[in-house]
Structure formats: structure tokens, C-alpha cells
Amino acid sequence: MARTAIEFRNVSKQYANTSQYAVAGVNMRISEGSFITILGTSGSGKTTLLKMVNRIYEATSGEILYFGEHIKNLKLEEYRRKIGYVIQQVGLFPHMTVEENIGAIPQILRWDTDTIANRVNALLELVCLSPRDFKKRYPRQLSGGQQQRVGLARAMAADPDIMLMDEPFGAIDAITRQNLQEELIRIQRKLNKTILFVTHDVSEAFKLGDKVVIMHEGTIQQFDTPYGIISKPANEYVARLIATQDIVQRLKVLKAQSVMLPVDAQVSDRAFRVGTEESLHNILTYFLEHDQNHVLVEDGGRGVVGKITWEQLKVSTRQGKILSA
Amino acid sequence: MITYLVKYYDQMLILLLEHLYLVCLSMLISLLLAVPVGLLIARSKWLSTAILSFFGVVYSIPSLALFSFLLPAFGLGKMTAIAVLVIYNQYILVRNTVTGFQSIDASIIEAGYGMGLSARYMFLKIQLPLALPIILGGIRIATVSTIGIATIAAVIHAGGLGVLLFDGLRMNYLPKILWGTILSSLLAYLANHILLSFETKAIERARGECRGDTA
Ligand SMILES: Nc1ncnc2c1ncn2[C@@H]1O[C@H](COP(=O)(O)OP(=O)(O)OP(=O)(O)O)[C@@H](O)[C@H]1O
Ligand SMILES: [Mg+2]
């Protein structure tokens, strides 16, 4: 079992001079190494929830625990250095080079110069920027996408356990955003960081998150895997929100086993075999590319357990749409 | 004119130095007051507006009037002159200090604190260098105007280049008036020039345009 990295216990936040709670009674456990996306419309409290974790905002009531410790008992600056923080506006220091920006915290931690230089190089490579070309540049000499890469590298400088990201790719064009998303997924797999990622983009939330938190008016509507949310939306609000997803996106999170028809034991068919976890999107692609009308679903040791036909994929897609519309 | 210079150059030099002394001392005191005040009030929109409008009103009092207001308190001489110059400078210096710090992009501050930088580091390494161009701009304007206003301080026996001017006026002696004007303008010009070069450096630094190695 993974440890709990962050736990919210009945956390609420009410800003001064407001009558409503921005976040109300949130309970949630986030296990170490998971990639959590926080999804909701504007004003739903996503940013507020995120910023209470690194105490940019203080919770009005309730508690937040960091690996079991109350964050209020931890020394603020030391605690924050264990938490990477990336925001949409990036906030690079304009008067410092890329190298100095990334090296700021390591320098405060009194790492020696060589260690810092190596760390900077490694991080730049991790975010796909060539150290030789970029180290000595100033932020204004970078494109928006490159700035956000540096922002990401800077946030990881002191090897934090947890990363908080508030719409980091919100101001970036669609293609660059896709690259960044894929890189982030790769980095997360590689380094096993716990990530809390705020977005209002449904497909981004579903693409990145192992689990998605859906927020509305300061409360959590559903906290589940993308598959869990799409196949069983907890309420009307969630159903409406995911209905904005296009079919292709939804097929990406639906798995073969959710729609397959059981088959009688012996199948000697030479049709293409897929795993139970295969996404319906890939199966659809296979149908379209190979002029086939069915595939068999195999479950590791148990052999063939089901079958998916072209007709049936169409029907379940349509049903899926009705389900969440 | 030249004969006047040859004959009285030592006296003129003393007046010039006296003028410089008045300007430097009042700038120093002004800065020691204005920068901390600016820093303190920069956090609060309400407070900074209130204090700045107060200094703005004071700034609009004609200098002769302000000299005579303060005469009873400090008497004739340099004390009153310096007090008046310091008071005038507050408006420009406090305003530019406040603007300098308030103009820093909020996301830079948030990212800095969010990643765990201390308030001390934030101030010295981030906020100050970024606010410096505007603060230096204030220092430059304040210095130039101080050099000008300080000539009027001769009226209350504070010395400086104003002595040349006012003596010349009283005696209707053109070379004195001209030399007083030339020297104070020259001083203002030089001060502006030198301070502007610092300001330009600070701007380049804040924008991330320094050439060479400053790392
Ligand atoms: N500093 C603040 N002072 C007062 N109210 C605030 C403050 N920040 C946010 N709020 C209010 O709290 C609620 C939640 O805001 P929050 O910024 O957390 O939303 P969000 O989900 O991040 O929205 P967005 O997608 O637009 O960023 C909103 O009603 C907002 O008006
Ligand atoms: Mg937000």
C-alpha cells in the first residue's frame, strides 16, 4: 500500500468579506506517487484547494496532513521546499538566468557549485531543453512553452515529493500543450512524484489524472479514476461536465472489459487479440485500419474471455453518450 | 566673466562645495526616511494612497513659503534648508519606492514564496533588484530638483550657489548671476547624467539584459 502523501480533513476556506465558502468540507486522501487532477468550472475552488496545501492560503477550518504531519506544525519555508509549485503565469525571476532560477533553492540549501550545476543540467534535459543553449538565457529570451518548462524544472530543483500545479499549461497553444502533457506524464512515471494538477479542461484532466477530483461550488462531487467517473458519474453535475467531452476522448478511458460480450470457452478464431485493459479508442482504431469487424479480449492466464464487435462498439458508444448526457 | 572667474574662483569653489554638501546630505537623509516608509506602506493600497496624497499636497507648497514656515523651528541656516529639501524629496522618493515594489508582477512574488524562499531572500535578491530602476529614477529626479531648490536656500543664509545668484541680483551684477546659473545647471546636468547611467544599468539587470558575466 502506498503511503498517504496529503490528507484533507474536513477542510474549509472562507475568504474575508465573503459570505460563501470557497472550499467547503473537503475530505480526501492522496496516495504517494499518484497523479491527481482537480477539475471544475471557474470559481469552483480548485485554486483555493491547491494553495491551502502549501499555505499560500490558510484553511479557515479543518486540517491538512503531509505524510501524517499537520502542516501547521512544520516550518513553513522548509515545508514549502519539499513541495514543487508551478503556476500558469510561471513567475520566473526575470533578472536571473535560467540556471540561476533553477539553482535558487539548491543554493539556499548550500549544495556545492558542482552539484548545483549538474542538477540544473539534468533538470533541463528532463524537460527537453538543451542545457548548453538555455542555461545562460534570461526568461524574456524564452517562448511561453519554454518558460513553463523552466518553471517545471525550477519546481523540481530540490527533488520535492509533491508537485502542485495550477493550470500550468493554460496559456499555451494546443500542440505545445500536448507535448508538455506527455512529458509531464513521462516525468511522473519516471520519478514517481505525487502531483496535484488543477485544470478546467476536461480532456486534460482525464488524460493526465490517475484519479480526478471534480469540484463544484467548493465541494468535491466525485473523486475517482477517469474510468470510474465516465462509467458511473456520481451526480447530475458530473454527468453534465463529462458530456462536454467528445466521444473519442471518452473512448480513451473506457476499457475493453467494460463492453465485451462474454464468449463460450473454446474459440479457435484467429481474430486479433487485445488485453482486458485495452482502451476502446485503440480498438476502434484497429477496426478502422484493418477492415475487421471483431476482436477477441484475452485475460492473461485465463485465455480469451470476451469479444468485441464493431456493431457492439457503436452501440455502447451511443449508450455511453446517453448515459452521460 | 572670465575675469570674475579668475579673481573669485576659490570663493566660487567653496560655494559649489557647499551646494554639493547641502544636496548630498539632504538626499541621504531623504533616502533614509523615504525608502523604509515606502516599503512599509507599499503593502497597503489604502495607506499608500493616503500618505502619498499627503506628501503630494506638501510638495505643492512653494519653496519660499515652506522655508518661512520652518524658520521659527530651525532658524536661519543649513538646518532649515536641509529640512525643507528633505520634506520635498519625500513625495518623489516615497512614491517611486512604492511604485517600484508594487509594479513587480504578483506571480513572481507568489512563485518565490511558494517555492520556499525566505522573506529576506525575497527582498534582497528578488524584490529590490526588480524595484531598483524605478527607485533610482526617483533618486535622479529628486537630486536634480534638490540642486535647483537648494539655490533658493541662500535666502535663509544656508550658503551654496544661490549666494552667487542672489548677490548678483541684489547688486545687479551680471557675471555673478550667470556663474550661479551656469554652475547649478551644470551640477544638475552632471547629476542627471551619472544617475541615469546607474538607472540604465539597473533596468537592464531587472529585465535580464545584462551582457557579460554577472552570475
Ligand atoms: N483572494 C480571494 N479573496 C476573496 N475571494 C476569493 C479569493 N480568491 C478566490 N476567491 C473566491 O473563491 C472562490 C473560488 O475561487 P478559486 O480561485 O479557488 O476558483 P478556481 O476554481 O481556481 O477558478 P478558476 O478556474 O477561474 O481559476 C471564487 O468564488 C472566488 O471569487
Ligand atoms: Mg484557479
Side-chain angles (χ1 to χ4, degrees):
Chain A
M1 259 294 284
R3 293 186 296 165
T4 301
I6 293 286
E7 182 178 350
F8 293 85
R9 280 193 193 156
N10 209 14
V11 173
S12 299
K13 170 74 185 178
Q14 184 174 25
Y15 289 103
N17 307 321
T18 58
S19 55
Q20 291 240 317
Y21 278 89
V23 165
V26 164
N27 285 291
M28 177 164 60
R29 279 165 179 268
I30 291 161
S31 6
E32 188 176 18
S34 58
F35 197 141
I36 307 292
T37 50
I38 303 172
L39 175 66
T41 48
S42 186
S44 55
K46 308 179 295 289
T47 297
T48 307
L49 185 68
L50 191 79
K51 289 185 182 175
M52 283 191 286
V53 176
N54 65 351
R55 295 182 63 190
I56 300 268
Y57 297 142
E58 297 291 350
T60 311
S61 63
E63 285 141 12
I64 299 174
L65 280 73
Y66 168 85
F67 290 104
E69 287 187 87
H70 290 263
I71 61 172
K72 285 202 172 127
N73 300 339
L74 300 169
K75 272 194 73 184
L76 186 59
E77 281 151 23
E78 283 169 24
Y79 169 61
R80 282 177 172 164
R81 285 173 201 161
K82 293 184 208 155
I83 297 184
Y85 186 48
V86 183
I87 52 180
Q88 182 179 335
Q89 307 85 337
V90 197
L92 293 179
F93 307 134
H95 60 304
M96 295 185 179
T97 59
V98 164
E99 188 178 28
E100 291 165 333
N101 265 282
I102 301 176
I105 288 293
Q107 208 165 27
I108 288 177
L109 297 174
R110 298 188 191 284
W111 296 10
D112 67 70
T113 346
D114 285 347
T115 319
I116 297 178
N118 291 337
R119 181 76 185 151
V120 169
N121 287 347
L123 283 167
L124 281 174
E125 265 158 22
L126 188 69
V127 297
C128 300
L129 294 175
S130 135
R132 207 163 45 90
D133 293 344
F134 286 93
K135 228 160 53 174
K136 298 288 178 199
R137 289 207 204 176
Y138 286 93
R140 72 180 178 89
Q141 299 166 316
L142 305 173
S143 72
Q146 291 165 345
Q147 288 186 11
Q148 196 51 280
R149 290 188 154 93
V150 175
L152 189 58
R154 180 175 71 173
M156 292 190 295
D159 201 18
D161 318 301
I162 295 176
M163 304 276 292
L164 304 179
M165 310 182 80
D166 193 355
E167 304 200 32
F169 310 145
I172 290 168
D173 68 88
I175 293 180
T176 312
R177 178 162 63 220
Q178 240 174 11
N179 292 337
L180 282 165
Q181 288 168 346
E182 267 140 35
E183 278 158 33
L184 187 62
I185 291 174
R186 176 180 56 77
I187 290 168
Q188 200 262 348
R189 299 265 151 82
K190 187 168 161 193
L191 304 176
N192 199 37
K193 303 256 181 245
T194 309
I195 299 182
L196 267 73
F197 185 110
V198 165
T199 177
H200 59 250
D201 178 338
V202 182
S203 50
E204 185 171 64
F206 280 54
K207 177 175 174 185
L208 296 178
D210 303 327
K211 277 185 159 187
V212 181
V213 178
I214 295 184
M215 291 202 63
H216 182 54
E217 292 177 347
T219 58
I220 294 185
Q221 305 294 309
Q222 191 165 6
F223 177 35
D224 204 344
T225 59
Y227 173 70
I229 289 172
I230 285 180
S231 54
K232 264 197 240 101
N235 56 35
E236 188 64 19
Y237 179 80
V238 177
R240 273 221 325 274
L241 188 75
I242 57 175
T244 63
Q245 277 270 74
D246 66 49
I247 295 177
V248 177
Q249 287 296 335
R250 250 181 287 154
L251 287 176
K252 280 184 182 164
V253 299
L254 290 173
K255 292 173 183 150
Q257 61 184 1
S258 65
V259 295
M260 66 183 186
L261 294 172
V263 289
D264 309 331
Q266 293 307 318
V267 200
S268 53
D269 191 318
R270 290 225 298 274
F272 190 67
R273 317 257 163 135
V274 298
T276 49
E277 300 276 304
E278 192 64 71
S279 77
L280 294 189
H281 180 259
N282 287 348
I283 295 170
L284 176 69
T285 311
Y286 175 81
F287 283 150
L288 294 175
E289 283 174 354
H290 292 87
D291 192 28
Q292 291 281 332
N293 58 22
H294 75 283
V295 294
L296 294 175
V297 182
E298 253 182 349
D299 182 7
R302 293 206 291 139
V304 173
V305 291
K307 159 175 164 174
I308 298 175
T309 65
W310 171 233
E311 274 306 310
Q312 188 195 344
L313 191 59
K314 277 204 294 197
V315 172
S316 33
T317 307
R318 229 175 290 133
Q319 278 175 346
K321 194 166 178 174
I322 291 162
L323 183 76
S324 51
Chain B
M1 269 216 50
I2 302 298
T3 43
Y4 183 85
L5 175 68
V6 174
K7 202 161 162 199
Y8 293 107
Y9 74 92
D10 49 348
Q11 206 182 328
M12 282 164 65
L13 190 66
I14 288 172
L15 290 175
L16 182 67
L17 290 177
E18 207 169 33
H19 203 85
L20 264 178
Y21 169 79
L22 271 178
V23 171
C24 290
L25 191 61
S26 48
M27 279 310 296
L28 187 71
I29 298 173
S30 306
L31 277 172
L32 288 179
L33 285 174
V35 174
V37 169
L39 272 176
L40 277 177
I41 64 173
R43 286 159 205 272
S44 149
K45 197 93 210 146
W46 174 85
L47 195 61
S48 54
T49 314
I51 295 209
L52 282 177
S53 21
F54 169 73
F55 282 130
V57 170
V58 173
Y59 190 69
S60 68
I61 302 174
S63 46
L64 270 174
L66 199 54
F67 279 121
S68 38
F69 277 148
L70 293 183
L71 267 182
F74 297 108
L76 286 172
K78 294 205 165 43
M79 273 284 274
T80 312
I82 290 174
V84 168
L85 295 173
V86 168
I87 290 172
Y88 273 125
N89 282 335
Q90 293 311 299
Y91 177 59
I92 300 169
L93 293 177
V94 171
R95 188 194 58 184
N96 279 40
T97 308
V98 169
T99 318
F101 283 93
Q102 283 178 349
S103 70
I104 301 172
D105 194 339
S107 64
I108 295 174
I109 309 286
E110 188 182 317
Y113 281 114
M115 65 199 254
L117 297 176
S118 63
R120 202 179 112 90
Y121 184 99
M122 281 300 288
F123 179 72
L124 291 176
K125 298 284 180 77
I126 311 291
Q127 288 164 290
L128 196 58
L130 294 180
L132 202 58
I134 298 179
I135 297 177
L136 283 178
I139 294 179
R140 180 169 58 85
I141 296 165
T143 307
V144 171
S145 80
T146 302
I147 290 172
I149 300 172
T151 54
I152 299 169
V155 178
I156 53 158
H157 304 293
L161 293 171
V163 174
L164 281 176
L165 274 171
F166 284 107
D167 282 358
L169 276 175
R170 203 176 321 114
M171 297 149 51
N172 202 7
Y173 182 52
L174 196 61
K176 269 197 161 183
I177 300 178
L178 281 179
W179 277 117
T181 315
I182 290 170
L183 287 178
S184 61
S185 324
L186 202 65
L187 200 59
Y189 173 78
L190 284 177
N192 187 57
H193 196 73
I194 293 168
L195 290 170
L196 192 60
S197 73
F198 286 129
E199 198 179 322
T200 314
K201 281 224 179 62
I203 291 174
E204 283 172 2
R205 177 140 176 68
R207 284 205 198 129
E209 291 176 356
C210 347
R211 315 257 172 267
D213 56 339
T214 37

